[in-house]
Amino acid sequence: MASAGLRKELNCSICKDIYTDPVTLRCGHNFCQVCIDGVQDTEGGYGEYPCPECRATFHKRPPLQKNITLCNVVENFLSTQPHQEKITGICCTYCVDSPVPAVKSCLHCEASLCIKHLKVHIETSADHVLTEPSTSLKSRKCSIHRKILEYYCTEDAACICVSCSSVGEHRGHRVEILDEASEKKKKKLRNGLHKLITKRKKTKEKVKTLEERKRKAQEIAPGEAERVTALFIDIRRRVDDLEKRILSEVSKWEARMTLSLSDVIQKLEIKKDELSRKMRHIEKLCNMTDPLTVLQEPDTGDLCDPEGGGDEDTGRHDGGDEATGGHDGGDEDTGGHHGGDWGAELISHISHTLSDMIRDINVIFHVQDPADILLDVNTADNNLFISDDLKTATWTWKTQNRPETAERFHDYLVMSGRRFTSGRHYWDVEISRSVLWSVGMCYPSIDRRGRQSHIGDNNKSWGLYRGMVNNNQYSVIHDSEVILLPHQISSDGVRICLDYEAGQLSFYALCDPIRHLHTFTASFSEPLHAVLYVYGGSIKISGSNWEETSL
């Protein structure tokens, strides 16, 4: 029992076997030198070296202090337990009376040695080459010259002896010492392992993102169904058939999204498992102490190349078009394609079958994920304070002292950094305590100072405007032409909708129900930016969205 307890205390926590060349970390824990080297080689790529036992982290690779006392304890223990401690299963060649575990093998003698015979062997044959216990000693000698394999021919990728290099078939070839060649291969393997770790991490993140998209799709669908039902209560008699169709489309969209994302996730899980398998194989090779075994391991074409097979097929075929929009960067557009298709078809049908009352609700049928529109501080007038999140513009008497540049507006204006060159988009704003304000879109070539820089006072911008006389009276303006809107609106929220290809820019009041205010029609010739004008109070971009994006 005491022997069993001591045996347990002498086990390395990494390999779960008796210590071999035990070393100590600064935290006080002991490991086999080969074991801890392998762990540090694997995890050191992240710039931190944790202790496998207590997880203490070292920011530089910690020095390994050989534990002489523990080495002696292990040696004494093994010498007193010859029949119980058969670590390798290989017995001493010279102990013929009873099997004794070998601790080393001699390549010259082609014999395995226990601790007792090893001491004698070292004294009599100090120049012999010793290695870990092995049953394949003959494979470590040249089959032609019967000499030890000491070199590696880089031209033929073969382990050779000194005679092969000097007078044999590898004469004149470039050769390296086995240890050097092994280290080079290990370095290559470690580089490949690092790439695989990075690739696996990205794959794991992609799976997580798609899982989140899937969850959101399942959450959004029931909510959209409820919103549609509420909107059609007051017009049930005329649009009953249309309501049923919308609810059906929402369900179909949910089903398509769930099916397509599940398929992509399944493929990525398979890919993740394959990457894990390759990583374990490379780690095993990197942890080997025998260079010959490392070098004789056949190279496979994609072992260290995580791009082999690539990601090209994942999310781009067999469901990729449905789940990711059919192009790289699919995480950004996941689920966007089908939501846009059914929403556009539905809106088109509504606009041809019902009057302006139905047109007022067309912007409701967007089921995309939100995307930020951020204000560009480099364009902001110095009397506008821009919030840290770049979502709110607040008028202030205090000058912000930003540098004067050609792109900076005067007269309380600021525009977005994001530009729109195609697709259908919308964004919302909340107006707070503003005396005078205007929101809209403009070309980047708009003037930055003077009257021609104001929203709508030129042919490069389109805006919704509320003046100082009647705060509930709205106007729209483009190319200095003002259209007074008949609606009296008390809402503090406005939605701006852009259909770039159709040349339409629409404004809605975010009241209940949402009310269409005006639609501009134009042939857009430049990219469009969101633009704000605020005098007194503030304007906040509270939500933004798109159906198709080319930014």
Side-chain angles (χ1 to χ4, degrees):
M1 294 297 291
S3 176
L6 180 59
R7 171 71 168 80
K8 184 177 180 181
E9 291 297 323
L10 297 179
N11 278 353
C12 171
S13 62
I14 298 176
C15 66
K16 307 300 183 184
D17 214 332
I18 288 286
Y19 287 116
T20 302
D21 298 327
V23 293
T24 305
L25 291 179
R26 287 202 299 267
C27 59
H29 290 107
N30 301 301
F31 306 94
C32 301
Q33 182 165 357
V34 172
C35 295
I36 192 62
D37 275 338
V39 170
Q40 292 181 346
D41 288 343
T42 301
E43 299 189 6
Y46 299 104
E48 294 183 346
Y49 299 86
C51 170
E53 189 75 24
C54 65
R55 307 309 296 175
T57 301
F58 306 98
H59 296 293
K60 292 184 179 180
R61 186 161 184 156
L64 302 177
Q65 182 69 38
K66 187 171 183 179
N67 193 326
I68 303 297
T69 302
L70 190 55
C71 285
N72 294 332
V73 172
V74 170
E75 183 176 341
N76 292 332
F77 178 78
L78 292 178
S79 65
T80 61
Q81 305 290 324
H83 301 291
Q84 298 179 21
E85 302 302 324
K86 297 183 180 180
I87 301 175
T88 63
I90 300 173
C91 296
C92 177
T93 305
Y94 303 108
C95 293
V96 294
D97 295 332
S98 61
V100 177
V103 294
K104 292 291 182 181
S105 292
C106 176
L107 298 184
H108 282 275
C109 304
E110 295 187 12
S112 297
L113 310 166
C114 65
I115 293 179
K116 177 181 176 181
H117 287 98
L118 177 62
K119 292 180 178 179
V120 176
H121 187 276
I122 292 176
E123 293 173 358
T124 58
S125 306
D127 59 336
H128 285 197
V129 178
L130 298 175
T131 183
E132 297 301 317
S134 174
T135 57
S136 57
L137 298 178
K138 291 183 179 180
S139 66
R140 297 175 175 274
K141 286 189 176 182
C142 176
S143 59
I144 300 175
H145 304 103
R146 303 307 300 165
K147 293 184 178 180
I148 296 175
L149 300 174
E150 299 180 275
Y151 301 97
Y152 181 73
C153 177
T154 59
E155 296 183 23
D156 298 328
C159 298
I160 62 175
C161 70
V162 64
S163 296
C164 291
S165 175
S166 59
V167 297
E169 60 181 272
H170 299 278
R171 182 180 180 182
H173 290 188
R174 180 182 176 185
V175 298
E176 297 176 347
I177 298 174
L178 281 183
D179 287 340
E180 294 179 356
S182 176
E183 284 304 315
K184 287 183 178 180
K185 183 171 182 178
K186 284 185 177 181
K187 183 178 180 181
K188 179 182 177 183
L189 290 171
R190 292 185 188 108
N191 290 337
L193 178 62
H194 181 70
K195 291 180 181 178
L196 288 174
I197 291 172
T198 303
K199 195 71 173 180
R200 184 182 183 277
K201 182 179 179 181
K202 290 181 179 178
T203 303
K204 183 178 179 181
E205 291 174 352
K206 186 174 291 186
V207 169
K208 183 179 179 181
T209 299
L210 291 179
E211 288 281 11
E212 181 66 16
R213 300 286 186 184
K214 178 181 175 182
R215 184 187 64 79
K216 287 185 178 180
Q218 292 173 329
E219 289 179 353
I220 289 172
E224 290 301 309
E226 291 180 7
R227 294 171 69 190
V228 168
T229 301
L231 284 170
F232 280 90
I233 289 178
D234 60 337
I235 54 173
R236 178 70 62 190
R237 181 177 54 83
R238 292 182 293 162
V239 294
D240 186 66
D241 291 340
L242 182 59
E243 180 189 11
K244 292 179 180 179
R245 180 188 169 204
I246 295 170
L247 293 175
S248 175
E249 289 297 320
V250 170
S251 297
K252 290 178 182 178
W253 175 81
E254 180 187 5
R256 286 198 301 268
M257 288 295 297
T258 301
L259 180 62
S260 59
L261 288 176
S262 296
D263 183 56
V264 176
I265 291 171
Q266 182 180 8
K267 291 180 180 180
L268 288 175
E269 289 289 357
I270 293 172
K271 183 178 182 66
K272 183 180 71 175
D273 292 340
E274 177 63 17
L275 291 172
S276 297
R277 183 190 65 78
K278 291 181 179 180
M279 288 167 58
R280 290 194 295 271
H281 183 58
I282 291 179
E283 287 174 349
K284 180 179 179 182
L285 290 177
C286 289
N287 289 334
M288 289 183 178
T289 59
D290 180 27
L292 185 61
T293 302
V294 175
L295 295 171
Q296 287 181 337
E297 177 72 16
D299 285 325
T300 57
D302 61 347
L303 183 60
C304 298
D305 182 14
E307 303 301 331
D311 244 358
E312 289 76 5
D313 293 333
T314 303
R316 299 182 68 182
H317 299 286
D318 298 327
D321 289 339
E322 295 192 12
T324 65
H327 57 79
D328 290 336
D331 290 342
E332 299 297 327
D333 294 341
T334 300
H337 180 68
H338 286 291
D341 283 350
W342 79 263
E345 179 183 356
L346 180 59
I347 293 172
S348 176
H349 177 74
I350 291 172
S351 64
H352 287 85
T353 56
L354 298 176
S355 63
D356 288 343
M357 178 177 59
I358 302 301
R359 183 184 180 188
D360 292 347
I361 66 170
N362 59 6
V363 294
I364 298 301
F365 304 112
H366 294 262
V367 289
Q368 316 305 310
D369 293 326
D372 288 340
I373 291 180
L374 304 179
L375 299 174
D376 184 359
V377 178
N378 294 323
T379 68
D381 172 61
N382 271 322
N383 285 104
L384 291 183
F385 173 77
I386 306 301
S387 61
D388 292 338
D389 63 359
L390 305 180
K391 306 286 281 187
T392 303
T394 303
W395 180 86
T396 174
W397 283 109
K398 185 178 179 180
T399 302
Q400 299 301 302
N401 294 322
R402 304 185 188 100
E404 287 294 338
T405 61
E407 59 182 338
R408 187 172 307 286
F409 280 107
H410 288 201
D411 297 330
Y412 321 128
L413 288 151
V414 60
M415 73 180 188
S416 68
R418 186 182 299 278
R419 65 176 188 170
F420 303 90
T421 58
S422 66
R424 294 185 303 275
H425 317 262
Y426 77 81
W427 53 289
D428 298 342
V429 296
E430 295 176 4
I431 296 96
S432 176
R433 303 185 309 276
S434 180
V435 177
L436 187 65
W437 60 263
S438 181
V439 296
M441 306 202 81
C442 69
Y443 291 152
S445 60
I446 189 174
D447 289 346
R448 303 307 169 100
R449 59 187 65 197
R451 186 68 183 177
Q452 285 297 305
S453 67
H454 292 185
I455 303 175
D457 282 336
N458 49 69
N459 62 359
K460 297 183 178 182
S461 60
W462 298 258
L464 175 68
Y465 167 83
R466 192 176 74 179
M468 301 175 63
V469 178
N470 188 342
N471 285 338
N472 292 331
Q473 187 70 58
Y474 287 76
S475 302
V476 291
I477 181 170
H478 170 65
D479 202 11
S480 299
E481 181 179 348
V482 178
I483 300 176
L484 188 66
L485 301 181
H487 309 292
Q488 293 289 322
I489 305 298
S490 59
S491 171
D492 291 327
V494 173
R495 174 166 294 179
I496 300 93
C497 298
L498 169 68
D499 188 332
Y500 194 95
E501 282 78 11
Q504 293 184 342
L505 182 63
S506 302
F507 296 90
Y508 295 81
L510 294 179
C511 48
D512 188 14
I514 189 171
R515 176 177 294 181
H516 173 256
L517 300 177
H518 184 77
T519 295
F520 287 107
T521 301
S523 296
F524 300 125
S525 57
E526 295 183 39
L528 287 170
H529 292 255
V531 61
L532 308 177
Y533 168 86
V534 55
Y535 178 77
S538 63
I539 298 180
K540 177 182 179 180
I541 299 175
S542 58
S544 51
N545 210 326
W546 66 64
E547 288 190 354
E548 299 174 12
T549 308
S550 177
L551 305 181

